[in-house]
Amino acid sequence: MEKKWTQLWLKYDKKQDAGNGAFVQTVKFCGFDTKAAVVANAWKELQRGVSGMLGIVPALAGDGTENPKMVIALDAETVKKEGYRISCNDGCLKLEAADENGVLYGVFHVLRLIAMEQPLSKVTILCEPDNPMRMYNHWDNMDGSIERGYSGNSFFFEKGELIIDERITDYARMVASVGINGVVINNVNVKDEATWLITDRYFAKVAELSNVFAGYGIKLFLSLNYAAPLELGGPDSADPLDEDVIAWWKTKMAEVFAKVPNLGGFLVKADSEGRPGPFTYGRTQADGANMLADIVKPYGGIIIWRCFVYNCTQDWRDYKTDRARAGYDNFIEMDGDYHDNVILQIKNGPMDFQIREAVSPLLGGLKKTNQMLEVQVAQEYTGQQIDLCYLIPLFKEVLDFKTYCKPENDTVADVVSGRTYGNKNAGIAAVCNTGNDENWTGNDLAAANFYGFGRLAFTTSLSAEEIAEEWVKMSLSCEQEVVDAIVNLLLGSRETYEKYTSPLGIGWMVTPHYHYGPSVDGYEYSRWGTYHRADHLGLGVDRTDNGTGYVRQYYEPNASMYNDIKTCPEELLLFFHHVPYTHMLKSGKTLIQHIYDSHFEGVEEVEAMIRVWNGLEGKVPFCAYEVIKERFARQLQNAKEWRDQVNSYFYRKSGIADEMGRRIY
Ligand code: GCV
């Protein structure tokens, strides 16, 4: 049967040799068992990649073979866990790895260099992962739908069943190739059949899937329904301190870990957006997380507990309650109470994956608790894989943010990698953007985010540009002119998207529920706590000392910097301040003029992107070209809608005309 999905950056089409063929003809393994699953898969991948790209089938050198061209050797002394070193001496390529995952990642590195047509003879590199845990979270439901999915249905689930087919293996290859070592397959909103994933009904299939992952060094994680005892015929409670509840979970976890190999643990969304949790029983988040953590500990299990806990039934008239405060307020007091196999998973911003928002003060705010950063590769609020929005620059901005939690090693990257406080249960997770579309991500260019997140999680110091360039060369073309054009499109796309959507960090203004396209007041009088507070004089949320006081959740000097309108970074101005339309920005423009100008510019930039793309016809694979062209056309429509609605809205509110006299409705 013909394959119904592409191979993305692992397509291994014919490449210029660049002298590389000479190194991969005979390969010798030292200290590794080539029959062990991960090593065997690495070897298979090397053969597949090399034969596709260079037309050579590498041979396995036996013990007696003299002068093998490539040696893959164990070095757990000078290379750290999951790391590898590649070097080339006297015509021999050496890959030294600390363990099996290191072999796999090293092999993918070699294949990446070949795909990029770079000479292996010049390489000397030591790569060790910056983050111990590098995870994809899928919000896939068992009926096959995906919450916030923009590229078809789930390839994990269909009609209440798990799918185990070749695509799962390809998915595992894909994510392992960028260093992902943990995957949560089901939605954090665990309902209906998904609650039963931890029962006999699904064990056999879950175990099968887990074994596929194990072959690529990936731990399987499941999202857990906190109220499982009630729904699976256990006690009539989920109180974490109730003896019967604890006993029920003990029996359940013993069964789950016995039946499902390679299980890393569980992800839990509790007391969040209607999901059950310990608050129902007057218990703390720590009570809930620790109870589960203690039970899974004997099996080496980890409980990843999300901090997305806020009041989603807020009264819009209430100016004191501030959703941005909620994560910190709900979790900071129990810092130090969480057991060592609990990790708190914290969204990058205190609101919800907006195109621009402040960095969550909980990151680094917690000093005695394992922390993991959560970002969203799925483009829920950032164009839904119709509009181009390369997110790696945003992720890097978050990782580079200086929290001032300590005199040194205080960036978010330091905190979540475990460097700041010396914890090993730490890392980064991303909500994934894949589905069963032929091209995996709806818009072919959205695969740059799918690829890039993994690369960044493994090597945080890579620049957004380096990652983009790798991805383009492996996926679309190695022709430098084409590479430059596409890399530029990717690098500018976040700013462009920001320009035509919500201004200066205020966020939202999206169509309620769907979150694509403008609706300036869509959430203004709702219960969700996501307000812009625009009136006839100005807009923005006052989170200063005079407002909700949110700024004080940061360490100094960040707190004072945000508190003062003069020092607050302008791109976050409306996130922290309520500002008059006549306020003068550093650019010498008033706020209202900035809103008009940026929205006109945003649309012009999309038009310019389309011109660039049209010029690439015939220079990138035809299918991708056509899909992307169609997406750009939709993006332009969307950008115009945003421009006209936002500009008209603020013209009507403020009564202030555009200095340039452009068309506003
Ligand atoms: C999985 C946002 C999304 C929800 C999502 C939630 C979360 O509110 O709109 O679809 O639910 O975040 O992160 O849990």
Side-chain angles (χ1 to χ4, degrees):
M1 202 175 78
E2 211 193 322
K3 272 202 170 177
K4 293 256 175 17
W5 58 91
T6 66
Q7 292 291 312
L8 297 174
W9 56 89
L10 300 183
K11 61 185 183 163
Y12 301 142
D13 53 353
K14 193 96 193 73
K15 294 286 175 176
Q16 292 192 16
D17 187 304
N20 292 334
F23 294 105
V24 283
Q25 293 164 0
T26 47
V27 182
K28 184 169 176 172
F29 284 83
C30 303
F32 286 107
D33 175 5
T34 49
K35 302 247 165 17
V38 177
V39 179
N41 279 334
W43 170 233
K44 215 160 88 185
E45 195 72 30
L46 191 68
Q47 289 182 300
R48 177 177 177 162
V50 167
S51 55
M53 293 190 284
L54 302 178
I56 298 164
V57 186
L60 200 56
D63 279 347
T65 312
E66 282 182 30
N67 303 328
K69 295 293 182 191
M70 181 175 177
V71 175
I72 299 181
L74 176 68
D75 180 356
E77 299 286 305
T78 64
V79 183
K80 291 198 194 120
K81 195 171 173 229
E82 295 187 295
Y84 58 89
R85 184 190 295 114
I86 304 175
S87 56
C88 194
N89 279 315
D90 299 331
C92 178
L93 187 70
K94 209 165 179 188
L95 165 56
E96 292 155 299
D99 48 30
E100 295 186 356
N101 276 22
V103 172
L104 186 65
Y105 302 149
V107 161
F108 276 117
H109 194 126
V110 168
L111 292 171
R112 183 159 58 238
L113 293 172
I114 297 174
M116 291 167 67
E117 300 180 345
Q118 287 182 9
L120 294 168
S121 59
K122 300 234 169 80
V123 65
T124 311
I125 192 164
L126 173 68
C127 284
E128 293 163 336
D130 286 320
N131 292 287
M133 297 177 72
R134 308 171 298 277
M135 301 186 68
Y136 264 129
N137 292 181
H138 288 264
W139 287 356
D140 292 26
N141 299 313
M142 291 199 66
D143 63 2
S145 64
I146 301 177
E147 182 151 351
R148 310 305 175 188
Y150 310 106
S151 25
N153 283 332
S154 174
F155 45 74
F156 291 119
F157 305 110
E158 188 181 42
K159 297 182 186 147
E161 271 304 332
L162 279 99
I163 309 169
I164 319 279
D165 64 7
E166 214 186 313
R167 189 162 191 161
I168 301 296
T169 306
D170 280 348
Y171 167 82
R173 292 173 49 234
M174 225 64 84
V175 299
S177 78
V178 289
I180 296 292
N181 64 0
V183 171
V184 183
I185 55 169
N186 63 310
N187 189 358
V188 286
N189 290 324
V190 189
K191 295 178 192 158
D192 310 319
E193 293 100 316
T195 305
W196 293 78
L197 278 170
I198 52 166
T199 69
D200 250 339
R201 196 184 282 181
Y202 293 111
F203 281 147
K205 284 276 174 77
V206 175
E208 209 183 320
L209 177 78
S210 193
N211 275 326
V212 175
F213 281 2
Y216 288 90
I218 301 162
K219 284 269 181 200
L220 173 76
F221 285 76
L222 295 172
S223 291
L224 203 65
N225 183 345
Y226 189 78
L230 292 104
E231 294 185 32
L232 297 180
D236 203 15
S237 165
D239 181 346
L241 303 188
D242 180 316
E243 288 305 322
D244 292 341
V245 172
I246 296 169
W248 185 87
W249 275 117
K250 277 191 176 155
T251 313
K252 175 49 69 192
M253 289 303 180
E255 190 190 6
V256 177
F257 279 93
K259 297 275 174 67
V260 182
N262 183 46
L263 185 63
F266 300 91
L267 175 63
V268 188
K269 172 176 178 176
D271 291 311
S272 169
E273 301 186 327
R275 303 313 302 143
F279 282 169
T280 312
Y281 306 93
R283 310 299 185 193
T284 66
Q285 296 296 296
D287 289 335
N290 290 340
M291 179 271 291
L292 290 170
D294 292 350
I295 293 170
V296 301
K297 191 164 183 166
Y299 315 103
I302 286 172
I303 296 296
I304 305 173
W305 192 266
R306 292 178 88 228
C307 295
F308 191 52
V309 179
Y310 69 97
N311 175 5
C312 65
T313 55
Q314 197 184 320
D315 182 348
W316 58 268
R317 299 166 191 84
D318 166 11
Y319 272 63
K320 278 292 165 200
T321 305
D322 179 3
R323 171 163 162 182
R325 293 188 59 114
Y328 190 95
D329 285 344
N330 278 309
F331 286 90
I332 202 73
E333 271 177 21
M334 283 162 292
D335 187 18
D337 292 348
Y338 294 88
H339 295 175
D340 66 359
N341 59 330
V342 174
I343 307 178
L344 294 188
Q345 186 165 301
I346 305 163
K347 288 193 182 187
N348 62 272
M351 296 297 281
D352 196 7
F353 301 138
Q354 301 301 292
I355 188 66
R356 176 86 63 180
E357 59 178 299
V359 171
S360 171
L362 203 48
L363 291 160
L366 295 163
K367 288 179 183 244
K368 292 172 275 181
T369 305
N370 298 321
Q371 296 160 66
M372 218 160 141
L373 171 66
E374 178 180 317
V375 295
Q376 195 184 40
V377 165
Q379 291 172 243
E380 175 178 359
Y381 295 96
T382 52
Q384 304 202 348
Q385 286 142 244
I386 299 166
D387 300 24
L388 179 62
C389 192
Y390 178 54
L391 290 163
I392 306 306
L394 189 162
F395 301 161
K396 281 198 72 73
E397 209 171 86
V398 172
L399 289 164
D400 289 345
F401 180 74
K402 221 172 143 48
T403 67
Y404 294 100
C405 63
K406 267 180 92 178
E408 54 193 25
N409 287 344
D410 67 336
T411 65
V412 169
D414 292 323
V415 171
V416 303
S417 63
R419 282 193 293 274
T420 310
Y421 301 118
N423 26 3
K424 66 176 190 335
N425 286 333
I428 317 190
V431 180
C432 201
N433 65 348
T434 51
N436 68 359
D437 274 2
E438 195 172 322
N439 68 0
W440 300 79
T441 54
N443 185 338
D444 291 75
L445 292 178
N449 289 327
F450 180 34
Y451 174 85
F453 167 75
R455 293 287 290 132
L456 187 65
F458 200 92
T459 307
T460 313
S461 57
L462 284 172
S463 71
E465 187 174 354
E466 283 168 314
I467 294 173
E469 183 161 338
E470 286 180 359
W471 176 79
V472 175
K473 286 186 170 166
M474 296 173 80
S475 312
L476 296 171
S477 170
C478 276
E479 207 187 304
Q480 202 54 45
E481 190 195 332
V482 177
V483 175
D484 292 344
I486 301 175
V487 167
N488 283 336
L489 284 179
L490 290 168
L491 290 177
S493 59
R494 183 223 182 173
E495 253 88 46
T496 299
Y497 185 82
E498 182 179 28
K499 281 184 181 175
Y500 64 76
T501 55
S502 58
L504 302 179
I506 193 70
W508 310 94
M509 301 189 177
V510 285
T511 310
H513 184 63
Y514 299 104
H515 303 170
Y516 185 76
S519 175
V520 181
D521 278 343
Y523 276 117
E524 194 57 15
Y525 305 103
S526 76
R527 63 186 173 92
W528 295 95
T530 55
Y531 314 116
H532 55 65
R533 306 291 193 202
D535 57 27
H536 67 296
L537 296 174
L539 89 145
V541 180
D542 186 353
R543 296 193 160 105
T544 68
D545 291 337
N546 300 324
T548 70
Y550 163 82
V551 290
R552 293 294 153 201
Q553 294 185 342
Y554 292 93
Y555 296 103
E556 289 294 359
N558 286 342
S560 299
M561 174 190 61
Y562 290 135
N563 192 51
D564 185 344
I565 193 164
K566 294 200 278 305
T567 51
C568 179
E570 263 179 1
E571 67 272 15
L572 288 169
L573 192 64
L574 303 177
F575 187 90
F576 286 104
H577 297 269
H578 186 85
V579 182
Y581 295 120
T582 52
H583 173 84
M584 201 57 86
L585 299 177
K586 293 190 186 101
S587 60
K589 290 179 188 180
T590 58
L591 170 62
I592 189 76
Q593 195 55 40
H594 170 86
I595 293 176
Y596 296 147
D597 287 355
S598 58
H599 283 77
F600 282 110
E601 270 167 39
V603 172
E604 284 157 19
E605 287 177 16
V606 177
E607 285 165 342
M609 294 202 289
I610 292 175
R611 285 194 295 277
V612 172
W613 190 253
N614 289 346
L616 296 175
E617 186 170 7
K619 297 182 179 164
V620 292
F622 177 74
C623 282
Y625 175 80
E626 290 291 314
V627 170
I628 294 164
K629 190 179 157 107
E630 182 267 346
R631 299 275 154 156
F632 270 134
R634 284 159 72 188
Q635 176 170 4
L636 183 59
Q637 281 309 98
N638 187 39
K640 285 182 178 168
E641 204 54 39
W642 271 97
R643 175 196 65 193
D644 292 341
Q645 287 202 30
V646 170
N647 283 349
S648 302
Y649 180 95
F650 287 104
Y651 171 61
R652 292 175 190 182
K653 273 257 147 123
S654 69
I656 302 173
D658 169 32
E659 283 169 5
M660 314 261 287
R662 287 163 294 196
R663 184 87 197 260
I664 293 180
Y665 298 83

